[in-house]
Amino acid sequence: MSKKMLPVRPKRKFEHQIFAYYEGEQEEEYFSHLKTLINEHVKNNLKIKIVPKNCGGGNPKTPVLTAIKNCSANKTPLVVFDFDNKKKEFEEAIDLSIKNKFKMGYFNINFDYWLVLHKLEKNKIIYGEKSSNDAYVKILKEVYQLSDRDDIKNSDIIKKIVSKITLDDVYHAIDCCKLIEKRNKSTPEKKCYTQKNNIYYTNPDMQIYKVVEKLLNKCLKKTKSR
């Protein structure tokens, strides 16, 4: 008696879930767009699902405290927060994130410059410290071809900005952050310490690139072509 042939099932793609806690809509829209770029890429080998929690801006500690309150022990959340000239709260957010072993993506001074780096030529990288929260608004509008009247915190404008970002742009931003980090590490006066002796650097300093790079390496088949 011949054996009955079972139908061939398509190979299942596993899904990597990310529990992400943000300060605002810019971050949420960016990561939603990044998810689409990754999941729709021809070399994708691991789908991702982002479970977002917009915690509201104003305090760098808020996303971290919200993650502590809402995440169970078997979940490792991603916490994303800005310096925003709140030194004490920013340092406490770093210390809490490290203590709880969270994935940490912070921005010193804010998210605007991370967006800028996706489109900025490497020879135009700004290495010097800028203390104003609005320091990068003008250049952000320039690189994304926005008008002076456009409000970069407006929902439609945020969507317009992130829609222009390609996966090549993401890799470019990562490379720019590595150049910034190299400069920071070679400049002793830029080094800062939290109360728990955790290191960060004066603006610009972005740890988000490490989170994004690991995600790309995890979800996309290894390739140098972009």
Side-chain angles (χ1 to χ4, degrees):
M1 182 184 293
S2 62
K3 292 183 180 179
K4 187 177 180 180
M5 297 294 292
L6 295 175
V8 178
R9 294 182 180 179
K11 189 176 180 181
R12 181 186 170 206
K13 274 196 175 181
F14 291 93
E15 186 175 71
H16 177 54
Q17 220 172 34
I18 301 167
F19 297 87
Y21 293 80
Y22 316 114
E23 275 197 87
E25 190 175 357
Q26 279 183 319
E27 294 92 328
E28 186 170 349
E29 289 294 340
Y30 175 84
F31 276 95
S32 176
H33 181 65
L34 181 64
K35 177 196 72 174
T36 300
L37 290 177
I38 291 172
N39 286 347
E40 294 182 353
H41 196 273
V42 293
K43 293 188 179 294
N44 175 270
N45 61 1
L46 179 66
K47 296 290 184 182
I48 61 169
K49 177 182 179 182
I50 297 179
V51 182
K53 175 65 176 177
N54 187 337
C55 305
N59 188 333
K61 286 172 61 178
T62 301
V64 183
L65 294 174
T66 307
I68 292 171
K69 183 179 178 181
N70 290 278
C71 267
S72 59
N74 64 335
K75 296 175 182 176
T76 303
L78 165 63
V79 289
V80 181
F81 53 91
D82 301 338
F83 181 84
D84 277 344
N85 289 319
K86 294 181 174 67
K87 184 176 184 289
K88 179 176 179 291
E89 293 86 349
F90 179 73
E91 291 182 352
E92 289 174 349
I94 291 174
D95 288 339
L96 282 170
S97 298
I98 293 173
K99 178 183 177 181
N100 287 278
K101 298 180 180 179
F102 291 166
K103 297 173 186 173
M104 177 176 59
Y106 67 67
F107 308 91
N108 184 3
I109 193 167
N110 56 33
F111 195 77
D112 296 346
Y113 195 38
W114 168 246
L115 292 174
V116 165
L117 290 177
H118 287 68
K119 300 290 185 180
L120 194 68
E121 295 175 25
K122 289 180 182 178
N123 62 356
K124 293 183 179 179
I125 292 175
I126 301 168
Y127 292 98
E129 182 171 1
K130 288 181 176 293
S131 59
S132 169
N133 281 344
D134 297 326
Y136 300 111
V137 172
K138 182 178 179 181
I139 191 169
L140 177 64
K141 289 181 177 181
E142 288 174 355
V143 297
Y144 285 97
Q145 300 176 324
L146 302 175
S147 75
D148 290 339
R149 299 185 302 275
D150 287 331
D151 178 4
I152 64 167
K153 301 297 183 183
N154 174 272
S155 180
D156 290 336
I157 299 301
I158 294 170
K159 288 180 172 66
K160 183 177 180 180
I161 290 170
V162 299
S163 70
K164 295 182 177 182
I165 293 174
T166 67
L167 203 58
D168 283 347
D169 293 332
V170 178
Y171 280 111
H172 177 76
I174 290 170
D175 289 343
C176 288
C177 285
K178 288 179 178 179
L179 290 174
I180 290 171
E181 185 173 68
K182 184 177 180 180
R183 177 72 70 91
N184 285 345
K185 288 182 176 180
S186 66
T187 312
E189 60 268 26
K190 287 186 67 66
K191 185 181 289 187
C192 304
Y193 294 89
T194 69
Q195 286 193 347
K196 302 295 183 182
N197 280 324
N198 291 308
I199 296 171
Y200 70 99
Y201 296 89
T202 57
N203 175 46
D205 175 27
M206 284 167 282
Q207 292 301 297
I208 189 64
Y209 89 85
K210 294 180 180 178
V211 174
V212 173
E213 184 175 44
K214 285 181 181 178
L215 188 59
L216 294 176
N217 290 339
K218 187 182 188 76
C219 295
L220 302 181
K221 294 175 183 175
K222 290 187 178 181
T223 176
K224 198 62 182 173
S225 61
R226 296 178 183 174

